[in-house]
Amino acid sequence: AAKIYYQEDCNLSLLEGKTIAIIGYGSQGHAHALNLKESDANVIIGLYEGKADHGTKAEAQGFEVYTSAEAAKKADIIMILINDEKQAALYKNDIEP
């Protein structure tokens, strides 16, 4: 049987003082961002070129929005939640430097 984890199983204090950048605000990105925000984590959003429309949605939901490169510089933890075929280039251009 699969083990199910609940809020009380997590040690959220490990995230205290950390900034988490969610790169991408599509179906996965917004769900992760909102979940972390509701758990009192400090979450920012990074968007890659061509996704400005998602920035408006993220800002309306209370997030600070940056380019992917800016968010990566500000973050302690980065979650890349964009289309698989775009991840390598985004990492190479915006995160690795």
Side-chain angles (χ1 to χ4, degrees):
K3 174 146 174 65
I4 299 173
Y5 293 92
Y6 296 93
Q7 184 83 17
E8 58 271 7
D9 297 318
C10 300
N11 182 0
L12 293 177
S13 69
L14 297 171
L15 298 178
E16 286 179 14
K18 305 282 187 210
T19 298
I20 303 167
I22 303 293
I23 308 296
Y25 204 71
S27 60
Q28 290 184 26
H30 89 276
H32 282 285
L34 290 169
N35 182 285
L36 286 162
K37 181 180 175 189
E38 290 171 4
S39 296
D40 293 324
N42 181 31
V43 181
I44 61 174
I45 306 301
L47 298 179
Y48 63 95
E49 191 174 325
K51 288 297 182 180
D53 58 327
H54 287 186
T56 303
K57 181 179 178 183
E59 287 173 342
Q61 293 178 320
F63 294 102
E64 294 178 20
V65 178
Y66 302 94
T67 66
S68 298
E70 291 171 325
K73 288 177 186 173
K74 294 178 177 291
D76 300 293
I77 300 166
I78 302 169
M79 294 178 70
I80 304 173
L81 298 167
I82 64 170
N83 298 354
D84 293 347
E85 67 274 9
K86 296 180 180 182
Q87 290 182 12
L90 178 127
Y91 177 83
K92 186 75 173 164
N93 296 325
D94 294 351
I95 296 173
E96 185 178 42

Coordinates of all heavy atoms in Angstrom, one line a residue:
A1 N 0.8 -1.2 0.0 CA 0.0 0.0 0.0 C 0.9 1.2 0.0 O 1.9 1.3 0.6 CB -0.9 0.0 1.2
A2 N 0.4 2.3 -0.7 CA 1.1 3.5 -0.7 C 1.0 4.3 0.6 O 0.0 4.2 1.3 CB 0.6 4.4 -1.8
K3 N 2.1 4.9 1.0 CA 2.1 5.8 2.2 C 1.6 7.1 1.8 O 2.1 7.7 0.9 CB 3.5 5.9 2.8 CG 3.5 6.8 4.0 CD 4.5 6.4 5.1 CE 4.6 7.4 6.2 NZ 3.5 7.6 7.0
I4 N 0.6 7.6 2.6 CA 0.1 8.9 2.4 C 0.7 9.9 3.4 O 0.7 9.6 4.6 CB -1.5 8.9 2.5 CG1 -2.0 8.0 1.4 CG2 -2.0 10.3 2.3 CD1 -3.5 7.8 1.5
Y5 N 1.2 11.0 2.9 CA 1.8 12.0 3.8 C 0.8 13.2 4.0 O 0.1 13.6 3.1 CB 3.1 12.5 3.2 CG 4.2 11.5 3.2 CD1 4.4 10.7 2.1 CD2 5.0 11.3 4.3 CE1 5.3 9.7 2.1 CE2 5.9 10.3 4.3 CZ 6.1 9.5 3.2 OH 7.1 8.5 3.2
Y6 N 0.8 13.7 5.2 CA -0.1 14.8 5.5 C 0.8 16.0 6.0 O 2.0 15.9 6.3 CB -1.1 14.4 6.6 CG -2.0 13.4 6.1 CD1 -1.7 12.0 6.3 CD2 -3.2 13.7 5.4 CE1 -2.6 11.0 5.9 CE2 -4.0 12.7 5.0 CZ -3.7 11.4 5.2 OH -4.6 10.4 4.7
Q7 N 0.2 17.2 6.2 CA 0.9 18.4 6.7 C 1.7 18.1 7.9 O 2.8 18.5 8.0 CB -0.2 19.5 6.9 CG 0.4 20.8 7.3 CD 0.9 21.6 6.1 OE1 0.5 21.4 5.0 NE2 1.7 22.6 6.4
E8 N 1.1 17.4 8.9 CA 1.9 17.1 10.1 C 3.1 16.2 9.9 O 3.9 16.1 10.8 CB 0.9 16.6 11.2 CG 0.2 15.3 10.8 CD -1.1 15.5 10.1 OE1 -1.5 16.6 9.8 OE2 -1.8 14.5 9.9
D9 N 3.2 15.6 8.8 CA 4.4 14.7 8.5 C 5.6 15.6 8.0 O 6.6 15.0 7.8 CB 4.0 13.7 7.4 CG 3.0 12.7 7.9 OD1 3.0 12.3 9.1 OD2 2.1 12.4 7.2
C10 N 5.3 16.8 7.7 CA 6.3 17.7 7.0 C 7.0 18.6 8.1 O 6.3 19.1 9.0 CB 5.7 18.5 6.0 SG 4.9 17.6 4.7
N11 N 8.2 18.9 7.9 CA 9.0 19.8 8.7 C 9.1 21.1 7.9 O 10.2 21.3 7.2 CB 10.3 19.3 9.1 CG 11.1 20.2 10.0 OD1 10.6 21.3 10.3 ND2 12.3 19.8 10.4
L12 N 8.1 21.9 7.9 CA 8.2 23.2 7.1 C 9.2 24.2 7.6 O 9.5 25.1 6.9 CB 6.8 23.8 7.0 CG 5.8 22.9 6.2 CD1 4.4 23.6 6.2 CD2 6.2 22.7 4.8
S13 N 9.7 24.0 8.8 CA 10.7 24.9 9.3 C 11.9 24.9 8.5 O 12.7 25.9 8.5 CB 11.0 24.6 10.8 OG 11.7 23.4 10.9
L14 N 12.1 23.8 7.7 CA 13.3 23.8 6.8 C 13.2 24.8 5.7 O 14.2 25.2 5.1 CB 13.4 22.4 6.2 CG 13.7 21.2 7.1 CD1 13.5 19.9 6.4 CD2 15.0 21.4 7.8
L15 N 12.0 25.4 5.4 CA 11.8 26.4 4.4 C 11.9 27.8 5.0 O 11.9 28.8 4.2 CB 10.5 26.2 3.7 CG 10.4 24.8 2.9 CD1 9.0 24.7 2.3 CD2 11.5 24.7 1.9
E16 N 11.9 28.0 6.3 CA 11.9 29.3 6.9 C 13.1 30.1 6.5 O 14.3 29.6 6.5 CB 11.9 29.2 8.4 CG 10.5 28.7 9.0 CD 10.5 28.6 10.5 OE1 11.4 29.1 11.1 OE2 9.6 28.0 11.0
G17 N 12.9 31.3 6.1 CA 14.0 32.2 5.6 C 14.5 31.9 4.2 O 15.4 32.5 3.7
K18 N 13.9 30.9 3.5 CA 14.2 30.6 2.2 C 13.3 31.2 1.2 O 12.1 31.4 1.5 CB 14.2 29.1 2.0 CG 15.0 28.3 2.9 CD 16.5 28.3 2.6 CE 17.3 27.4 3.5 NZ 18.6 27.8 3.7
T19 N 13.8 31.6 0.0 CA 12.9 32.0 -1.1 C 12.9 30.9 -2.1 O 13.9 30.4 -2.6 CB 13.5 33.3 -1.7 OG1 13.5 34.3 -0.7 CG2 12.7 33.8 -2.9
I20 N 11.6 30.6 -2.5 CA 11.4 29.5 -3.5 C 10.9 30.2 -4.8 O 9.9 30.9 -4.8 CB 10.3 28.5 -3.0 CG1 10.8 27.9 -1.7 CG2 10.1 27.5 -4.0 CD1 9.7 27.2 -0.9
A21 N 11.7 30.0 -5.8 CA 11.3 30.5 -7.2 C 10.6 29.4 -7.9 O 11.1 28.3 -8.1 CB 12.5 31.0 -7.9
I22 N 9.3 29.6 -8.3 CA 8.6 28.7 -9.2 C 8.8 29.3 -10.6 O 8.3 30.4 -10.9 CB 7.1 28.7 -8.8 CG1 6.9 28.3 -7.4 CG2 6.3 27.8 -9.8 CD1 7.3 26.8 -7.1
I23 N 9.4 28.6 -11.5 CA 9.7 29.0 -12.8 C 8.5 28.4 -13.7 O 8.5 27.2 -13.9 CB 11.0 28.6 -13.4 CG1 12.2 29.0 -12.4 CG2 11.2 29.1 -14.8 CD1 12.3 30.5 -12.2
G24 N 7.7 29.3 -14.1 CA 6.5 28.9 -14.9 C 5.2 29.0 -14.0 O 5.3 28.7 -12.8
Y25 N 4.2 29.5 -14.6 CA 2.9 29.7 -13.9 C 1.8 29.1 -14.6 O 0.7 29.6 -14.7 CB 2.7 31.1 -13.5 CG 1.8 31.3 -12.3 CD1 2.3 31.0 -11.1 CD2 0.5 31.8 -12.5 CE1 1.5 31.2 -9.9 CE2 -0.3 32.0 -11.3 CZ 0.2 31.7 -10.1 OH -0.6 31.8 -9.0
G26 N 2.0 27.9 -15.3 CA 0.9 27.2 -16.0 C 0.2 26.3 -15.0 O 0.2 26.5 -13.8
S27 N -0.2 25.1 -15.5 CA -1.0 24.2 -14.7 C -0.3 23.7 -13.5 O -0.8 23.6 -12.4 CB -1.5 23.1 -15.6 OG -0.4 22.3 -16.1
Q28 N 1.0 23.4 -13.6 CA 1.8 22.9 -12.5 C 2.3 24.0 -11.6 O 2.2 24.0 -10.4 CB 3.0 22.0 -12.9 CG 2.6 20.7 -13.5 CD 3.8 19.9 -13.9 OE1 4.8 20.0 -13.3 NE2 3.6 19.0 -14.8
G29 N 2.9 25.0 -12.3 CA 3.5 26.1 -11.5 C 2.5 26.8 -10.6 O 2.9 27.1 -9.4
H30 N 1.4 27.2 -11.0 CA 0.4 27.9 -10.2 C 0.0 27.0 -9.0 O -0.2 27.5 -7.9 CB -0.7 28.5 -10.9 CG -1.9 27.7 -11.1 ND1 -2.0 26.7 -12.1 CD2 -3.1 27.6 -10.4 CE1 -3.2 26.1 -12.0 NE2 -3.8 26.6 -11.0
A31 N -0.2 25.7 -9.2 CA -0.7 24.8 -8.2 C 0.4 24.7 -7.1 O 0.1 24.8 -5.9 CB -1.0 23.5 -8.7
H32 N 1.7 24.5 -7.5 CA 2.8 24.4 -6.5 C 2.9 25.7 -5.8 O 3.1 25.8 -4.6 CB 4.1 24.1 -7.2 CG 4.2 22.6 -7.6 ND1 4.4 21.6 -6.6 CD2 4.1 22.0 -8.7 CE1 4.5 20.5 -7.2 NE2 4.3 20.6 -8.5
A33 N 2.9 26.9 -6.5 CA 3.1 28.2 -5.9 C 2.0 28.5 -4.8 O 2.3 28.9 -3.7 CB 3.1 29.3 -7.0
L34 N 0.8 28.2 -5.2 CA -0.3 28.5 -4.3 C -0.2 27.6 -3.0 O -0.5 28.0 -1.9 CB -1.7 28.3 -5.0 CG -2.0 29.4 -6.0 CD1 -3.2 29.1 -6.8 CD2 -2.2 30.8 -5.3
N35 N 0.1 26.3 -3.3 CA 0.2 25.4 -2.1 C 1.3 25.8 -1.2 O 1.1 25.8 0.0 CB 0.5 24.0 -2.7 CG 0.6 22.9 -1.6 OD1 1.6 22.9 -0.9 ND2 -0.4 22.1 -1.5
L36 N 2.5 26.2 -1.7 CA 3.6 26.7 -0.9 C 3.2 28.0 -0.2 O 3.5 28.1 1.0 CB 4.8 26.8 -1.7 CG 5.5 25.5 -2.1 CD1 6.5 25.8 -3.3 CD2 6.3 24.9 -0.9
K37 N 2.6 28.9 -0.9 CA 2.2 30.1 -0.3 C 1.2 29.9 0.9 O 1.3 30.5 2.0 CB 1.5 31.0 -1.3 CG 1.1 32.4 -0.8 CD 0.5 33.2 -1.9 CE -0.1 34.5 -1.4 NZ -0.9 35.2 -2.4
E38 N 0.3 29.0 0.7 CA -0.7 28.7 1.8 C 0.0 28.0 3.0 O -0.6 28.0 4.1 CB -1.8 27.8 1.2 CG -2.7 28.5 0.3 CD -3.7 27.6 -0.4 OE1 -3.8 26.4 -0.2 OE2 -4.5 28.2 -1.3
S39 N 1.2 27.5 2.7 CA 2.0 26.8 3.8 C 3.0 27.9 4.4 O 3.9 27.5 5.1 CB 2.7 25.6 3.3 OG 1.8 24.6 2.9
D40 N 2.8 29.1 4.1 CA 3.6 30.2 4.6 C 5.0 30.3 4.1 O 5.9 30.9 4.7 CB 3.6 30.3 6.1 CG 2.2 30.6 6.7 OD1 1.5 31.5 6.0 OD2 1.8 30.1 7.7
A41 N 5.3 29.6 2.9 CA 6.6 29.7 2.3 C 6.7 31.0 1.5 O 5.7 31.6 1.1 CB 6.8 28.5 1.4
N42 N 7.9 31.6 1.4 CA 8.2 32.8 0.6 C 8.4 32.3 -0.8 O 9.4 31.8 -1.2 CB 9.4 33.5 1.2 CG 9.6 34.8 0.4 OD1 8.7 35.4 -0.1 ND2 10.9 35.1 0.3
V43 N 7.4 32.6 -1.7 CA 7.4 32.1 -3.0 C 7.4 33.3 -4.0 O 6.6 34.3 -3.8 CB 6.1 31.3 -3.3 CG1 6.1 30.8 -4.8 CG2 6.0 30.1 -2.4
I44 N 8.3 33.2 -5.0 CA 8.3 34.2 -6.1 C 8.1 33.4 -7.4 O 8.3 32.2 -7.4 CB 9.5 35.1 -6.1 CG1 10.8 34.2 -6.4 CG2 9.7 35.9 -4.9 CD1 12.1 35.0 -6.6
I45 N 7.7 34.1 -8.4 CA 7.4 33.5 -9.7 C 8.4 34.0 -10.8 O 8.6 35.2 -10.8 CB 6.0 33.8 -10.2 CG1 4.9 33.4 -9.2 CG2 5.7 33.1 -11.6 CD1 4.9 32.0 -8.8
G46 N 9.0 33.1 -11.5 CA 9.8 33.5 -12.6 C 9.2 33.0 -13.9 O 8.7 31.9 -14.0
L47 N 9.1 33.9 -14.9 CA 8.5 33.6 -16.2 C 9.5 33.7 -17.3 O 10.4 34.6 -17.3 CB 7.3 34.5 -16.5 CG 6.2 34.5 -15.5 CD1 5.1 35.5 -15.8 CD2 5.6 33.1 -15.4
Y48 N 9.5 32.8 -18.2 CA 10.3 32.9 -19.4 C 9.7 33.7 -20.4 O 8.5 34.0 -20.4 CB 10.7 31.5 -19.9 CG 9.6 30.6 -20.4 CD1 9.3 30.6 -21.7 CD2 8.9 29.8 -19.5 CE1 8.3 29.8 -22.2 CE2 7.8 29.0 -20.0 CZ 7.6 29.0 -21.3 OH 6.5 28.2 -21.8
E49 N 10.5 34.2 -21.4 CA 10.0 35.0 -22.4 C 8.8 34.5 -23.1 O 8.7 33.3 -23.5 CB 11.1 35.2 -23.5 CG 10.9 36.3 -24.5 CD 12.1 36.6 -25.4 OE1 13.2 36.5 -24.9 OE2 11.8 36.9 -26.6
G50 N 7.8 35.3 -23.3 CA 6.6 34.9 -24.0 C 5.4 34.5 -23.1 O 4.4 34.2 -23.6
K51 N 5.6 34.6 -21.8 CA 4.6 34.2 -20.9 C 4.1 35.3 -20.0 O 3.8 35.1 -18.8 CB 5.1 33.0 -20.0 CG 5.1 31.7 -20.8 CD 3.8 31.3 -21.3 CE 3.8 30.0 -22.0 NZ 2.4 29.7 -22.5
A52 N 4.2 36.6 -20.5 CA 3.8 37.7 -19.7 C 2.3 37.6 -19.2 O 2.0 38.1 -18.1 CB 4.0 39.0 -20.5
D53 N 1.5 37.0 -20.0 CA 0.1 36.9 -19.6 C -0.1 36.1 -18.2 O -0.9 36.4 -17.4 CB -0.8 36.2 -20.7 CG -0.3 34.8 -21.1 OD1 1.0 34.6 -21.0 OD2 -1.1 34.0 -21.4
H54 N 0.8 35.1 -18.0 CA 0.8 34.4 -16.7 C 1.2 35.3 -15.6 O 0.8 35.1 -14.4 CB 1.7 33.2 -16.8 CG 1.1 32.1 -17.7 ND1 1.7 30.9 -17.7 CD2 0.0 32.0 -18.4 CE1 1.0 30.1 -18.6 NE2 0.0 30.8 -19.0
G55 N 2.0 36.3 -15.9 CA 2.5 37.3 -14.8 C 1.3 38.0 -14.3 O 1.3 38.2 -13.0
T56 N 0.4 38.4 -15.1 CA -0.8 39.2 -14.6 C -1.6 38.3 -13.6 O -2.0 38.7 -12.6 CB -1.6 39.6 -15.8 OG1 -0.9 40.4 -16.7 CG2 -2.8 40.4 -15.3
K57 N -1.7 37.0 -14.0 CA -2.5 36.1 -13.1 C -1.7 35.9 -11.8 O -2.3 35.9 -10.7 CB -2.6 34.8 -13.9 CG -3.4 33.7 -13.1 CD -3.6 32.4 -13.9 CE -4.3 31.4 -13.1 NZ -4.4 30.1 -13.9
A58 N -0.4 35.7 -11.9 CA 0.4 35.5 -10.7 C 0.3 36.7 -9.8 O 0.2 36.6 -8.5 CB 1.8 35.1 -11.0
E59 N 0.5 37.9 -10.3 CA 0.4 39.1 -9.5 C -1.0 39.2 -8.9 O -1.1 39.6 -7.7 CB 0.7 40.3 -10.4 CG 2.2 40.4 -10.7 CD 2.5 41.5 -11.7 OE1 1.6 42.0 -12.4 OE2 3.7 41.9 -11.8
A60 N -2.0 38.9 -9.6 CA -3.4 39.0 -9.1 C -3.6 38.1 -7.9 O -4.4 38.3 -7.0 CB -4.4 38.7 -10.1
Q61 N -2.8 37.0 -7.9 CA -2.9 36.0 -6.8 C -1.8 36.3 -5.7 O -1.6 35.5 -4.8 CB -2.7 34.6 -7.3 CG -4.0 34.3 -8.2 CD -3.9 32.9 -8.8 OE1 -2.9 32.4 -9.2 NE2 -5.1 32.2 -8.8
G62 N -1.2 37.5 -5.7 CA -0.4 38.0 -4.6 C 1.1 37.6 -4.7 O 1.8 37.7 -3.7
F63 N 1.6 37.2 -5.9 CA 3.0 36.9 -6.1 C 3.8 38.0 -6.7 O 3.3 38.8 -7.5 CB 3.2 35.6 -6.9 CG 2.6 34.4 -6.3 CD1 1.4 33.9 -6.7 CD2 3.3 33.7 -5.3 CE1 0.9 32.7 -6.2 CE2 2.8 32.6 -4.7 CZ 1.6 32.1 -5.2
E64 N 5.1 38.1 -6.3 CA 6.0 39.0 -7.0 C 6.5 38.2 -8.2 O 6.8 37.0 -8.1 CB 7.2 39.3 -6.1 CG 6.9 40.1 -4.9 CD 8.1 40.4 -4.0 OE1 9.2 40.3 -4.5 OE2 7.9 40.7 -2.9
V65 N 6.5 38.8 -9.4 CA 6.8 38.2 -10.7 C 8.1 38.8 -11.2 O 8.3 40.0 -11.3 CB 5.7 38.3 -11.7 CG1 6.0 37.6 -13.0 CG2 4.4 37.7 -11.1
Y66 N 9.0 37.9 -11.7 CA 10.3 38.3 -12.3 C 10.5 37.5 -13.6 O 9.8 36.6 -13.8 CB 11.4 38.0 -11.3 CG 11.3 38.7 -10.0 CD1 10.7 38.0 -8.9 CD2 11.7 40.0 -9.8 CE1 10.5 38.7 -7.7 CE2 11.6 40.6 -8.5 CZ 11.0 40.0 -7.5 OH 10.9 40.6 -6.3
T67 N 11.6 37.9 -14.3 CA 12.0 37.0 -15.4 C 12.6 35.8 -14.7 O 12.9 35.8 -13.5 CB 13.1 37.7 -16.2 OG1 14.3 37.9 -15.4 CG2 12.6 39.0 -16.8
S68 N 12.8 34.7 -15.5 CA 13.4 33.5 -14.9 C 14.7 33.8 -14.3 O 15.1 33.3 -13.3 CB 13.4 32.4 -16.0 OG 12.2 32.1 -16.5
A69 N 15.6 34.5 -15.0 CA 16.9 34.8 -14.6 C 16.9 35.6 -13.3 O 17.7 35.3 -12.4 CB 17.7 35.6 -15.7
E70 N 16.0 36.6 -13.2 CA 16.0 37.4 -11.9 C 15.5 36.5 -10.8 O 16.0 36.6 -9.7 CB 15.0 38.6 -12.1 CG 15.5 39.7 -13.1 CD 14.4 40.7 -13.4 OE1 13.2 40.3 -13.5 OE2 14.7 41.8 -13.5
A71 N 14.5 35.7 -11.0 CA 14.0 34.9 -9.9 C 15.0 33.9 -9.5 O 15.2 33.6 -8.3 CB 12.7 34.1 -10.4
A72 N 15.8 33.3 -10.4 CA 16.8 32.4 -10.1 C 17.9 33.0 -9.2 O 18.4 32.4 -8.2 CB 17.5 31.8 -11.3
K73 N 18.2 34.3 -9.4 CA 19.2 35.0 -8.6 C 18.7 35.2 -7.2 O 19.5 35.3 -6.2 CB 19.6 36.3 -9.3 CG 20.4 36.2 -10.5 CD 20.7 37.5 -11.2 CE 21.4 37.3 -12.5 NZ 21.6 38.6 -13.2
K74 N 17.4 35.5 -7.1 CA 16.8 35.8 -5.8 C 16.5 34.6 -4.9 O 16.3 34.7 -3.7 CB 15.5 36.6 -6.0 CG 15.7 38.0 -6.6 CD 14.4 38.6 -6.8 CE 14.5 40.0 -7.3 NZ 15.1 41.0 -6.4
A75 N 16.5 33.4 -5.5 CA 16.0 32.2 -4.9 C 17.1 31.3 -4.2 O 18.2 31.3 -4.6 CB 15.2 31.3 -5.9
D76 N 16.6 30.7 -3.1 CA 17.4 29.6 -2.5 C 17.1 28.3 -3.1 O 17.9 27.3 -3.1 CB 17.2 29.6 -1.0 CG 17.5 30.9 -0.3 OD1 18.7 31.3 -0.3 OD2 16.6 31.6 0.1
I77 N 15.8 28.1 -3.5 CA 15.3 26.9 -4.1 C 14.6 27.2 -5.4 O 13.8 28.2 -5.4 CB 14.3 26.2 -3.1 CG1 15.0 25.9 -1.8 CG2 13.7 25.0 -3.7 CD1 14.0 25.6 -0.7
I78 N 14.8 26.5 -6.4 CA 14.2 26.7 -7.7 C 13.4 25.5 -8.2 O 14.0 24.4 -8.2 CB 15.3 27.1 -8.8 CG1 16.1 28.3 -8.4 CG2 14.6 27.3 -10.2 CD1 17.3 28.6 -9.2
M79 N 12.2 25.7 -8.5 CA 11.4 24.6 -9.1 C 11.1 25.0 -10.6 O 10.5 26.0 -10.8 CB 10.1 24.4 -8.4 CG 10.2 23.9 -7.0 SD 8.6 23.8 -6.1 CE 7.9 22.4 -7.0
I80 N 11.6 24.2 -11.5 CA 11.3 24.5 -12.9 C 10.1 23.7 -13.4 O 10.1 22.5 -13.5 CB 12.6 24.0 -13.8 CG1 13.8 24.7 -13.2 CG2 12.3 24.4 -15.3 CD1 15.1 24.3 -13.9
L81 N 9.1 24.5 -13.7 CA 7.8 23.9 -14.0 C 7.2 24.4 -15.3 O 6.1 25.0 -15.4 CB 6.8 24.1 -12.9 CG 7.2 23.4 -11.6 CD1 6.3 24.0 -10.4 CD2 7.1 21.9 -11.6
I82 N 8.1 24.3 -16.4 CA 7.7 24.7 -17.7 C 7.7 23.5 -18.6 O 8.1 22.4 -18.2 CB 8.7 25.8 -18.3 CG1 10.1 25.2 -18.4 CG2 8.6 27.0 -17.4 CD1 11.0 26.2 -19.2
N83 N 7.3 23.6 -19.8 CA 7.3 22.5 -20.8 C 8.7 21.8 -20.8 O 9.7 22.5 -20.9 CB 7.0 23.0 -22.2 CG 5.6 23.6 -22.2 OD1 4.8 23.6 -21.3 ND2 5.2 24.2 -23.4
D84 N 8.6 20.5 -20.8 CA 9.9 19.7 -20.8 C 10.9 20.2 -21.9 O 12.1 20.3 -21.7 CB 9.6 18.2 -21.0 CG 8.8 17.7 -19.8 OD1 8.8 18.3 -18.7 OD2 8.3 16.5 -19.9
E85 N 10.4 20.4 -23.1 CA 11.3 20.7 -24.2 C 12.0 22.1 -24.1 O 12.9 22.4 -24.8 CB 10.5 20.6 -25.6 CG 9.5 21.6 -25.8 CD 8.1 21.3 -25.2 OE1 8.0 20.3 -24.5 OE2 7.2 22.0 -25.5
K86 N 11.5 22.9 -23.2 CA 12.1 24.2 -23.0 C 13.0 24.3 -21.8 O 13.7 25.3 -21.6 CB 10.9 25.3 -22.8 CG 10.1 25.4 -24.1 CD 9.0 26.4 -24.0 CE 8.3 26.5 -25.3 NZ 7.2 27.5 -25.2
Q87 N 13.0 23.3 -20.9 CA 13.7 23.3 -19.7 C 15.2 23.4 -19.8 O 15.9 24.2 -19.1 CB 13.4 22.1 -18.8 CG 12.0 22.2 -18.3 CD 11.6 21.0 -17.4 OE1 12.5 20.2 -17.0 NE2 10.4 20.8 -17.1
A88 N 15.8 22.7 -20.7 CA 17.3 22.7 -20.9 C 17.8 24.1 -21.3 O 18.7 24.6 -20.7 CB 17.7 21.6 -21.9
A89 N 17.1 24.7 -22.3 CA 17.5 26.0 -22.7 C 17.3 27.1 -21.6 O 18.2 27.9 -21.4 CB 16.8 26.4 -24.0
L90 N 16.2 27.0 -20.9 CA 16.0 27.9 -19.8 C 17.1 27.8 -18.8 O 17.6 28.8 -18.3 CB 14.6 27.7 -19.2 CG 14.3 28.7 -18.0 CD1 13.1 29.4 -18.2 CD2 14.4 27.9 -16.7
Y91 N 17.4 26.6 -18.4 CA 18.4 26.3 -17.4 C 19.8 26.9 -17.9 O 20.4 27.7 -17.2 CB 18.6 24.9 -17.1 CG 19.7 24.7 -16.1 CD1 19.5 24.8 -14.7 CD2 21.0 24.3 -16.5 CE1 20.6 24.7 -13.8 CE2 22.1 24.2 -15.6 CZ 21.8 24.4 -14.3 OH 22.9 24.2 -13.4
K92 N 20.1 26.6 -19.1 CA 21.4 27.0 -19.7 C 21.5 28.6 -19.7 O 22.5 29.1 -19.4 CB 21.6 26.4 -21.1 CG 22.9 26.7 -21.7 CD 24.0 25.8 -21.0 CE 25.3 26.0 -21.8 NZ 26.4 25.5 -21.0
N93 N 20.4 29.2 -20.1 CA 20.4 30.7 -20.4 C 20.1 31.5 -19.1 O 20.7 32.6 -19.0 CB 19.4 31.0 -21.5 CG 19.8 30.4 -22.8 OD1 21.0 30.3 -23.1 ND2 18.8 30.0 -23.6
D94 N 19.3 31.0 -18.2 CA 18.8 31.8 -17.2 C 19.2 31.4 -15.8 O 19.2 32.3 -14.9 CB 17.2 31.9 -17.2 CG 16.7 32.6 -18.4 OD1 17.5 33.2 -19.2 OD2 15.5 32.5 -18.6
I95 N 19.5 30.2 -15.6 CA 19.8 29.7 -14.2 C 21.3 29.4 -14.0 O 21.9 29.8 -13.1 CB 18.9 28.4 -13.9 CG1 17.5 28.8 -13.9 CG2 19.4 27.9 -12.5 CD1 16.5 27.7 -13.7
E96 N 21.9 28.7 -14.9 CA 23.3 28.3 -14.8 C 24.2 29.5 -14.6 O 25.1 29.4 -13.7 CB 23.7 27.5 -16.0 CG 25.1 26.9 -15.9 CD 25.5 26.1 -17.1 OE1 25.2 26.5 -18.2 OE2 26.2 25.0 -16.8
P97 N 24.0 30.6 -15.3 CA 25.0 31.7 -15.1 C 24.9 32.3 -13.7 O 25.8 32.8 -13.2 CB 24.5 32.8 -16.1 CG 23.7 32.0 -17.1 CD 23.1 30.8 -16.5

